[in-house]
Amino acid sequence: MASWLQIPKNSPFSLANIPFGIITSAKAPSRVAAIAIGDYALNLNAFASSGGFSQLPAIQPHLNVFNQPTLNAFAALGRPVHRQVREYIQSVFRADTPYPQVLKDNESLQKLALLPLSEVTNHLPMQIGDYTDFYAGLNHAYNLGVLLRGPDNALQPNYKHLPVAYHGRASSIVVSGTPIHRPNGQILANPTATPKVPIFSPCKRLDIELEMAAFVSTPNDMGKPVSVNNAEDHIFGLVLMNDWSARDIQAWEYVPLGPFNAKNFATTITPWVVLIDALEPFRVPSLEPENRENVLPYLREKRTDNVFDIPLEFEITNPGGQPTTVSRSNAKNLLFSFPQMLAHHTITGCNLRPGDLLGSGTISGTEPQTQGSLFEQTKGKEPLKLADGSERIFLEDGDTVVLRGKAGTEGNYVGFGDCSATILPAVKLEF
């Protein structure tokens, strides 16, 4: 798919993608909707205000969604509208565009609306009302289970019957590039000691979790579950997500109600939402397709290609050092799909709203250096070496972590951009 706009061959934002986000810039200091293409962002508010959507009648009654500070209103219009807008924008940027007057030959609109990504600031794409983090990465769940309980009891009896999840903290979800303070909390200085008495300390076992996440688009009414075979139409699109985890705080607090402060201090997501339609060419079956017979009927999808083949990776750069790729995984390493997660979430009648975020759980492979967290790789005690020879078991202050993911081939990548953050020292507290 060729474009008249010069797009680098390795860009995650090829013409095959067209992800949506929220930006500000010197030209547009108020937050507005945009799409990413190559090294540029197209300001959709400026584009719409200047007649850019003149050849798409279906969006005419809704042009005001592009001047909103979040994508919630646009997402709520539903998947058919998202599809039409994305396909129209693709047609506008095609080398053989049927609408050259809209942008290709319209230099004034290009100057107004087509902005270098280096000159824009990204913001959270949606107002997130609620955030649920699932645990659908089978390999990660098994790896952690082995470390914590041994191989004979690695997976809990319920694990393959339902998408396990916990309710996370929406207020501390931040966009890529936002620095993260190391959290303080209660930890056990000596976990083997008796009696077990905690101390107050900065987290000493700070970890990352490589995840995908889905934004909800159209809501469901309270009391009315969403069918698993209709659930995908309630999903706006996907982002990369880093579910920062304080392993030592978590070890002390998680019994009996699960993680709390170990997870609530920060979650990082990418700013560009990749629509499900853009990921259609990369559909593959989830892990253990035969598990369909183990789940109850409300979780049985008609289609078996219900996850996506998206290569993922994460790297660490220590202060003054070079980037080190720590792990390479793939988004297909999930036992449950996002439609299954959404259907299970609503089966009680729970009502989801536009902007709600559903995390996949950590995505790990089965081979060495495919794990989606440091805890899995180092087992909490076996250091890994960075490019400059320094070692890490968990993250140290000043480390920068970058998650990446993109599917497809050179020139046609469908990717998410960087999901990055630098670790700042813990805030010093006195009591």
Side-chain angles (χ1 to χ4, degrees):
M1 192 181 297
S3 174
W4 54 264
L5 182 70
Q6 187 172 359
I7 301 174
K9 290 184 178 180
N10 65 343
S11 173
F13 309 130
S14 73
L15 189 55
N17 194 350
I18 312 297
F20 291 78
I22 294 292
I23 64 167
T24 55
S25 66
K27 292 182 179 179
S30 298
R31 297 184 184 194
V32 294
I35 60 97
I37 180 165
D39 291 333
Y40 294 88
L42 179 68
N43 178 332
L44 293 179
N45 182 47
F47 184 72
S49 300
S50 301
F53 286 107
S54 59
Q55 305 301 312
L56 184 62
I59 196 64
Q60 294 304 315
H62 310 292
L63 292 180
N64 65 320
V65 299
F66 299 123
N67 67 16
Q68 303 298 308
T70 70
L71 293 173
N72 292 54
F74 176 58
L77 294 177
R79 191 174 182 183
V81 174
H82 311 154
R83 177 178 294 137
Q84 287 180 295
V85 171
R86 173 176 171 269
E87 291 177 349
Y88 174 75
I89 292 172
Q90 285 178 314
S91 71
V92 166
F93 278 100
R94 290 178 70 105
D96 59 349
T97 174
Y99 317 117
Q101 74 281 5
V102 170
L103 193 61
K104 181 181 180 181
D105 298 337
N106 190 338
E107 291 188 14
S108 61
L109 185 53
Q110 287 185 35
K111 290 179 180 178
L112 177 66
L114 202 55
L115 311 172
L117 287 174
S118 60
E119 296 179 11
V120 305
T121 299
N122 291 107
H123 302 275
L124 281 177
M126 303 191 76
Q127 181 178 345
I128 304 168
D130 279 296
Y131 158 49
T132 303
D133 196 19
F134 286 83
Y135 198 47
L138 171 61
N139 300 319
H140 170 76
Y142 178 79
N143 293 341
L144 253 60
V146 170
L147 290 171
L148 298 174
R149 295 181 295 275
D152 293 338
N153 194 30
L155 298 178
Q156 300 291 351
N158 64 357
Y159 186 77
K160 293 189 178 183
H161 292 274
L162 57 83
V164 175
Y166 72 94
H167 192 262
R169 184 70 191 175
S171 65
S172 54
I173 299 175
V174 295
V175 74
S176 175
T178 306
I180 305 299
H181 277 281
R182 178 180 300 275
N184 290 298
Q186 292 192 27
I187 67 171
L188 291 177
N190 182 2
T192 62
T194 301
K196 298 187 184 303
V197 179
I199 63 170
F200 185 83
S201 168
C203 167
K204 300 179 186 301
R205 295 162 71 88
L206 184 59
D207 203 353
I208 77 108
E209 290 192 343
L210 173 59
E211 302 193 26
M212 305 292 297
F215 275 111
V216 174
S217 55
T218 50
N220 63 297
D221 293 332
M222 187 174 178
K224 296 183 179 180
V226 177
S227 162
V228 69
N229 292 310
N230 295 330
E232 196 169 85
D233 288 338
H234 289 255
I235 294 173
F236 179 45
L238 305 186
V239 292
L240 281 178
M241 187 175 90
N242 187 345
D243 177 29
W244 303 95
S245 299
R247 300 294 184 196
D248 43 3
I249 295 174
Q250 184 175 357
W252 173 238
E253 75 175 3
Y254 85 102
V255 176
L257 293 180
F260 179 38
N261 284 345
K263 301 277 192 175
N264 72 2
F265 60 95
T267 303
T268 302
I269 64 171
T270 43
W272 299 104
V273 182
V274 176
L275 300 191
I276 297 295
D277 281 0
L279 296 169
E280 285 289 342
F282 314 111
R283 285 187 178 274
V284 292
S286 57
L287 294 178
E288 299 189 4
E290 67 276 11
N291 191 58
R292 184 180 187 276
E293 301 309 314
N294 292 332
V295 300
L296 294 175
Y298 77 92
L299 287 173
R300 292 177 189 163
E301 291 180 88
K302 289 180 180 178
R303 67 185 312 160
T304 57
D305 55 344
N306 55 357
V307 297
F308 302 101
D309 182 357
I310 307 170
L312 306 173
E313 66 179 46
F314 81 83
E315 70 178 28
I316 298 174
T317 304
N318 55 318
Q322 297 297 315
T324 302
T325 299
V326 174
S327 180
R328 300 183 191 276
S329 186
N330 195 295
K332 66 185 178 182
N333 287 315
L334 294 173
L335 183 64
F336 293 100
S337 69
F338 281 113
Q340 287 175 306
M341 296 178 213
L342 192 146
H344 182 64
H345 204 317
T346 65
I347 195 62
T348 57
C350 174
N351 52 316
L352 300 182
R353 297 172 294 187
D356 285 355
L357 189 67
L358 309 179
S360 64
T362 308
I363 303 175
S364 297
T366 57
E367 302 299 320
Q369 285 79 55
T370 63
Q371 299 94 336
S373 69
L374 289 173
F375 190 22
E376 292 170 84
Q377 284 222 25
T378 68
K379 300 178 174 59
K381 58 185 178 182
E382 301 171 4
L384 59 85
K385 285 194 178 295
L386 301 184
D388 66 354
S390 60
E391 296 182 338
R392 289 291 183 276
I393 296 177
F394 291 101
L395 296 172
E396 297 185 8
D397 293 347
D399 287 349
T400 297
V401 175
V402 181
L403 279 53
R404 296 190 181 92
K406 62 181 180 182
T409 57
E410 188 176 78
N412 293 286
Y413 283 125
V414 175
F416 298 83
D418 289 357
C419 184
S420 68
T422 299
I423 303 302
L424 302 180
V427 175
K428 292 184 178 181
L429 301 173
E430 295 183 5
F431 301 100

